[in-house]
């Protein structure tokens, strides 16, 4: 039996066979499901908030009163629904085009990728002896003292695992002995491949979306033409509500949301299943930022300081040039000094509530005379009818009496 040792002394990488990835939700392909899930999440979550809103549940956590929603917004709910659907049609069309270009996703290379990371872990160990020398430690002496723990001693020695071997079949069909990975190396490599890399991709996507949306969003406020032509439509909602989160001009919706998240997905090299998480989480976070409630039990409003209360300030006339960050973190607002610094906003919100209530009360006063006239007419008609009935009744009673007098 021959020995197989690579020139670099590393264990060989395993062979692999690629096969098309089975859909997570048969029969819908993953690259189609990734487009459907955010849309479903949008309407399910926003309708939950809408149900809470129309039934006036948790009123103590409202940022605005129903009267404010009625009087301060400059767009109807139907117009909001229409424009959101238009944006979702556009983003779905773009997603279908991307799915067509990307083609089929394959699986079967996972063990190979884990082994690649295990090799990197092995190579990293080669720096340990030099590091220990810099710290004044004799690596050979330390490894000798740890001989009872061969894996640890081998790591300290620079990844010298001469006692770890495996039997593999070579390209010629013969069985050969080759170096093998330590168990802990494969565990670490698996953790990196299955957890740390996807987490890094997700965090990069979050950073990219926050950066993309901050600067584009800010530009739409700083440039008068961009604001009046595109972004002003979103600010017709002075009192945001959940299903108005994606109420935008179609051009802005494409640039700000569809292009931003799409590029984050592509650059971070996520697969479709990672995209399901990323797009759906981004959608739900955007809805939550526009929900109009400051729930103490909503985890999304406590993970970061960018929450419904934070973004709602941006929707007010006095805070419109601040709090541009969305949808995840607020680091760009802090770094570039665009975070709201006007202090406590309680009195500002209270004035808005009072003003909206006065408008509603004024409308009721205007309606009262109009309502009073039909009531008065109905009352007069009832009185006339009563008099007529009474007169007929009197006539019926006196007629027989008159007849008797004549006889």
């Amino acid at each position: 039996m021959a020995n197989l040792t690579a020139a670099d002394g590393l264990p060989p990488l395993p062979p692999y066979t690629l096969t098309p990835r089975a859909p997570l939700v048969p029969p819908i392909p993953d690259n189609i499901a990734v487009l459907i899930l955010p849309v479903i999440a949008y309407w399910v979550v926003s309708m939950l908030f809408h149900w809470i809103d129309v039934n006036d549940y948790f009123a103590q956590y409202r940022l605005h009163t129903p009267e404010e929603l009625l009087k301060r917004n400059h767009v109807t709910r139907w117009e909001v629904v229409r424009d959101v659907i238009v944006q979702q049609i556009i983003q779905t069309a773009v997603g279908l085009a991307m799915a067509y270009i990307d083609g089929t996703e394959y699986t079967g290379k996972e063990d190979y990728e884990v082994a690649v990371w295990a090799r990197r872990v092995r190579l990293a160990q080669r720096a340990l002896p030099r590091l220990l020398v810099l710290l004044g430690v004799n690596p050979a002496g330390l490894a000798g003292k740890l001989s009872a723990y061969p894996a640890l001693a081998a790591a300290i020695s620079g990844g010298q695992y001469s006692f770890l071997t495996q039997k593999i079949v070579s390209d010629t069909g013969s069985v050969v002995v080759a170096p093998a990975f330590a168990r802990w190396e494969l565990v670490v490599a698996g953790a990196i491949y299955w957890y740390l890399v996807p987490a890094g991709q997700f965090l990069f996507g979050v950073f990219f979306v926050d950066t993309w949306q901050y600067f584009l969003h800010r530009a739409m406020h700083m440039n008068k033409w961009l604001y009046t032509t595109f972004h002003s439509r979103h600010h017709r909602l002075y009192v945001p509500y959940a299903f108005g989160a994606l109420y935008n001009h179609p051009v802005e919706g494409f640039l700000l949301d569809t292009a931003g998240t799409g590029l984050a997905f592509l650059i971070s090299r996520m697969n479709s299943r990672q995209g399901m998480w990323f797009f759906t989480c981004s959608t739900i976070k955007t809805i939550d930022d526009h929900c109009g409630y400051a729930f103490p039990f909503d985890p999304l409003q406590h993970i970061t300081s960018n929450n419904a209360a934070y973004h709602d300030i941006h929707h007010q006339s006095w805070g419109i040039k601040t709090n541009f960050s969305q949808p995840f973190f607020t680091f760009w607002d802090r770094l570039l000094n665009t975070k709201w610094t006007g202090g406590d906003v309680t009195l500002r919100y209270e004035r808005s509530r009072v003003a909206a209530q006065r408008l509603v009360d004024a409308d009721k006063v205007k309606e009262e005379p109009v309502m009073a006239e039909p009531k008065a007419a109905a009352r007069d008609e009832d009185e006339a009818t009563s008099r007529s009935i009474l007169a007929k009744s009197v006539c019926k009673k006196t007629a027989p009496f008159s007849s008797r007098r004549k006889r």
Side-chain angles (χ1 to χ4, degrees):
M1 185 180 298
N3 290 328
L4 178 62
T5 303
D8 52 12
L10 296 173
L13 297 173
Y16 61 88
T17 301
L18 294 177
T19 57
R21 186 190 298 275
L24 184 65
V25 185
I28 304 172
D30 285 352
N31 56 5
I32 302 300
V34 73
L35 306 176
I36 297 173
L37 284 177
V39 176
I40 294 175
Y42 187 90
W43 291 110
V44 169
V45 176
S46 62
M47 286 301 102
L48 174 61
F49 279 115
H50 180 65
W51 176 74
I52 293 172
D53 183 25
V54 296
N55 288 283
D56 204 24
Y57 297 137
F58 306 110
Q60 67 273 30
Y61 301 125
R62 279 182 177 273
L63 295 174
H64 299 279
T65 62
E67 290 77 14
E68 287 182 275
L69 191 148
L70 178 66
K71 288 299 179 183
R72 297 185 60 207
N73 284 344
H74 299 164
V75 61
T76 66
R77 291 183 185 270
W78 159 244
E79 290 172 318
V80 169
V81 171
R82 178 199 63 196
D83 284 8
V84 169
I85 291 175
V86 168
Q87 177 166 333
Q88 290 177 334
I89 290 172
I90 293 172
Q91 75 181 27
T92 301
V94 173
L96 288 172
M98 290 175 59
Y100 178 79
I101 295 171
D102 289 343
T104 305
E105 287 188 350
Y106 291 89
T107 186
K109 199 178 178 181
E110 292 78 10
D111 290 342
Y112 177 90
E113 296 291 352
V114 170
V116 169
W117 278 106
R119 275 191 165 192
R120 292 167 180 163
V121 172
R122 176 69 63 87
L123 289 172
Q125 295 171 61
R126 294 182 178 179
L128 279 177
R130 295 179 183 177
L131 179 61
L132 290 173
V133 169
L134 290 175
L135 296 174
V137 178
N138 181 1
L142 181 59
K145 293 178 181 179
L146 296 173
S147 58
Y149 306 95
L152 182 57
I156 292 172
S157 300
Q160 302 298 322
Y161 295 89
S162 57
F163 56 91
L164 291 178
T165 59
Q166 60 180 327
K167 294 179 181 179
I168 62 173
V169 178
S170 67
D171 295 338
T172 60
S174 59
V175 178
V176 296
V177 177
F181 292 111
R183 174 63 181 168
W184 75 269
E185 290 176 312
L186 292 174
V187 170
V188 171
I192 293 172
Y193 177 75
W194 290 109
Y195 301 103
L196 292 185
V197 170
Q201 290 172 295
F202 188 90
L203 290 175
F204 173 81
V206 166
F207 171 79
F208 185 92
V209 168
D210 274 358
T211 302
W212 178 275
Q213 294 207 5
Y214 174 85
F215 287 101
L216 188 56
H217 185 196
R218 184 176 178 180
M220 288 194 172
H221 278 276
M222 298 298 105
N223 184 286
K224 185 177 180 180
W225 182 81
L226 288 175
Y227 182 81
T228 56
T229 307
F230 303 118
H231 192 54
S232 60
R233 180 177 298 196
H234 183 69
H235 279 277
R236 293 174 186 172
L237 289 175
Y238 283 92
V239 181
Y241 46 81
F243 65 85
L246 293 183
Y247 170 64
N248 299 305
H249 188 285
V251 173
E252 179 190 356
F254 171 76
L255 292 175
L256 200 67
D257 297 307
T258 304
T261 53
L263 286 171
F265 171 76
L266 291 174
I267 296 172
S268 63
R269 301 182 66 82
M270 297 183 193
N271 59 37
S272 292
R273 294 189 181 179
Q274 289 174 282
M276 293 178 194
W277 280 99
F278 180 64
F279 293 136
T280 303
C281 289
S282 298
T283 299
I284 293 174
K285 184 65 172 65
T286 302
I287 295 167
D288 197 77
D289 290 346
H290 291 81
C291 71
Y293 287 86
F295 288 130
F297 46 79
D298 182 351
L300 292 179
Q301 300 205 18
H302 299 284
I303 293 175
T304 75
S305 58
N306 197 347
N307 49 35
Y310 184 90
H311 188 66
D312 193 85
I313 290 174
H314 176 73
H315 274 262
Q316 309 312 306
S317 59
W318 39 266
I320 199 169
K321 291 297 180 71
T322 64
N323 292 13
F324 297 116
S325 292
Q326 57 182 38
F328 294 104
F329 296 94
T330 62
F331 55 86
W332 284 119
D333 274 327
R334 294 197 304 271
L335 289 172
L336 300 179
N337 297 318
T338 53
K339 185 177 180 180
W340 169 258
T341 56
D344 186 24
V345 297
T346 304
L347 292 178
R348 294 176 183 269
Y349 275 94
E350 184 59 30
R351 284 196 291 268
S352 296
R353 295 187 188 103
V354 171
Q357 186 62 53
R358 286 175 179 170
L359 291 174
V360 171
D361 292 341
D363 287 345
K364 290 180 180 178
V365 171
K366 292 177 182 178
E367 292 174 1
E368 284 179 359
V370 177
M371 296 295 293
E373 291 179 6
K375 288 181 180 179
R379 186 168 58 251
D380 293 342
E381 184 179 351
D382 290 343
E383 290 178 358
T385 303
S386 299
R387 286 195 295 269
S388 175
I389 293 173
L390 179 61
K392 290 178 181 179
S393 176
V394 171
C395 291
K396 287 179 180 179
K397 290 180 180 179
T398 56
F401 178 77
S402 300
S403 301
R404 286 196 299 271
R405 293 275 298 188
K406 289 179 180 180
R407 286 196 296 267

